[in-house]
Amino acid sequence: MHPTPLSRLTQLATRLTVVLVLAAATVAVASPAQAAGPYERGPDPTNTILTASRGPFATATASVSSLVSGFGGGTVYYPTDTSQGTFGAVAISPGYTARWSSLSWLGPRIASHGFVVIGIETDSVYDQPDSRGRQLLAALDYLVNDSSATVRNRIDRDRLAVAGHSMGGGGTLEAASSRPALQAAVPIAPWNLDKSWSEVRVPTLIVGGESDSIAPVSSHSEPFYSSISQAEKAYLELNNASHFFPQTTNTPLARQMVAWLKRFVDDDTRYDQFICPGPTRGGDTEEYRSTCPMS
Ligand code: 856
């Protein structure tokens, strides 16, 4: 007997259901949790790992001569592990009248999470933010083009970032403004006469100190943060912190900075949990804002 049109339709619907159920089961088996991105490095993050004095990677250092062109030399910190692919790199500038030694705790701290870090000396300790911005970019160019093979071969030239303190933080904004291909920027207690950074397209974390009287957050970090409209951004204000908070080991700064670099230089969404919604007010945190959600 020939099937009626109605029973034929029922048969097709049953077959379609079987196919859909099998397809769903296949997807569930093939993706147990979340596919790891190609630039993820290191173990799943925890608050303990991010607040420890060192991350999971052993590091070594290399010094950079003051005779290089475009900046004043400095120190490179790099992960020694060559088994997990290349790393992103970040250049960090100190502030007015200061040397890299004023921030040097950040070198091994950040490198040990799987980044190549160059802490720079500026040509003159009196250089202004625009000059510091150019010197940060020259230091990144040095890393990818002119550093020793040991350093150079560890770096992924397309995954670069900048950071700095005070006028170095002002320079960080200048560098982000002039090189939108950067993957992340972290101005720390930034100082700059230019208050508008609406052109910035680089994901930017600004960290300010509540009690900073040299670069008050009301006339520096806060307007800088508010002016950014074309990039992911976050603002952390540290409770009772002076202008000089980054010049001694500062755990909330390191935690938030590493999370930001991981998320945007390594595209590592495992760190979203530290950025979005991020720290809540209380303890070290005076205020936190960000353009949640990220992913
Ligand atoms: C540590 C930036 C008018 O500007 C200032 O007085 C001023 C002072 C210091 C800094 C800075 O970069 O401090 C970082 O040296 C601006």
Side-chain angles (χ1 to χ4, degrees):
M1 170 184 140
H2 286 289
T4 64
L6 187 63
S7 70
R8 182 78 188 139
L9 268 178
T10 310
Q11 197 178 22
L12 278 172
T14 307
R15 280 184 192 170
L16 186 62
T17 305
V18 167
V19 166
L20 287 174
V21 166
L22 284 175
T26 306
V27 166
V29 167
S31 14
Q34 188 66 239
Y39 310 127
E40 293 184 9
R41 302 286 181 269
D44 285 351
T46 62
N47 197 61
T48 303
I49 292 171
L50 282 175
T51 55
S53 67
R54 291 292 181 268
F57 292 87
T59 65
T61 65
S63 43
V64 180
S65 165
S66 63
L67 305 177
V68 292
S69 75
F71 65 111
T75 306
V76 177
Y77 307 80
Y78 59 91
T80 53
D81 189 345
T82 54
S83 74
Q84 301 192 36
T86 53
F87 299 102
V90 53
I92 308 178
S93 167
Y96 191 62
T97 74
R99 308 264 173 175
W100 167 245
S101 61
S102 66
L103 302 176
S104 60
W105 67 277
L106 277 169
R109 181 89 178 224
I110 293 172
S112 65
H113 287 273
F115 296 100
V116 174
V117 176
I118 182 166
I120 73 164
E121 303 296 354
T122 48
D123 291 330
S124 157
V125 295
Y126 306 111
D127 289 337
Q128 296 295 298
D130 57 343
S131 169
R132 286 169 197 268
R134 291 190 293 271
Q135 293 183 60
L136 284 167
L137 297 179
L140 292 175
D141 293 342
Y142 164 84
L143 282 182
V144 301
N145 295 320
D146 301 318
S147 64
S148 72
T150 303
V151 169
R152 197 166 12 100
N153 293 338
R154 283 177 162 79
I155 298 175
D156 181 344
R157 64 182 299 130
D158 296 322
R159 297 192 297 113
L160 305 176
V162 287
H165 175 219
S166 193
M167 284 198 192
T172 299
L173 288 162
E174 305 270 0
S177 173
S178 61
R179 194 176 286 183
L182 293 175
Q183 300 293 292
V186 185
I188 305 163
W191 187 97
N192 203 305
L193 293 174
D194 184 344
K195 308 302 177 185
S196 181
W197 299 93
S198 55
E199 73 282 12
V200 167
R201 290 179 177 278
V202 178
T204 301
L205 164 68
I206 297 178
V207 184
E210 182 194 14
S211 306
D212 186 338
S213 55
I214 293 171
V217 295
S218 59
S219 55
H220 293 268
S221 289
E222 290 180 330
F224 302 164
Y225 177 79
S226 297
S227 73
I228 297 170
S229 58
Q230 304 194 75
E232 296 281 11
K233 58 178 180 173
Y235 173 58
L236 174 63
E237 186 176 307
L238 297 176
N239 179 35
N240 206 27
S242 81
H243 187 60
F244 301 99
F245 73 81
Q247 296 190 340
T248 54
T249 303
N250 186 297
T251 300
L253 166 64
R255 178 201 64 215
Q256 218 59 31
M257 192 170 171
V258 169
W260 196 258
L261 296 172
K262 285 285 195 177
R263 175 61 184 82
F264 292 104
V265 177
D266 291 0
D267 288 338
D268 192 335
T269 55
R270 297 177 299 171
Y271 287 81
D272 282 0
Q273 59 184 306
F274 302 99
I275 293 170
C276 188
T280 50
R281 187 188 168 105
D284 294 317
T285 303
E286 175 62 21
E287 186 187 345
Y288 181 78
R289 295 186 246 168
S290 87
T291 49
C292 293
M294 307 274 153
S295 297

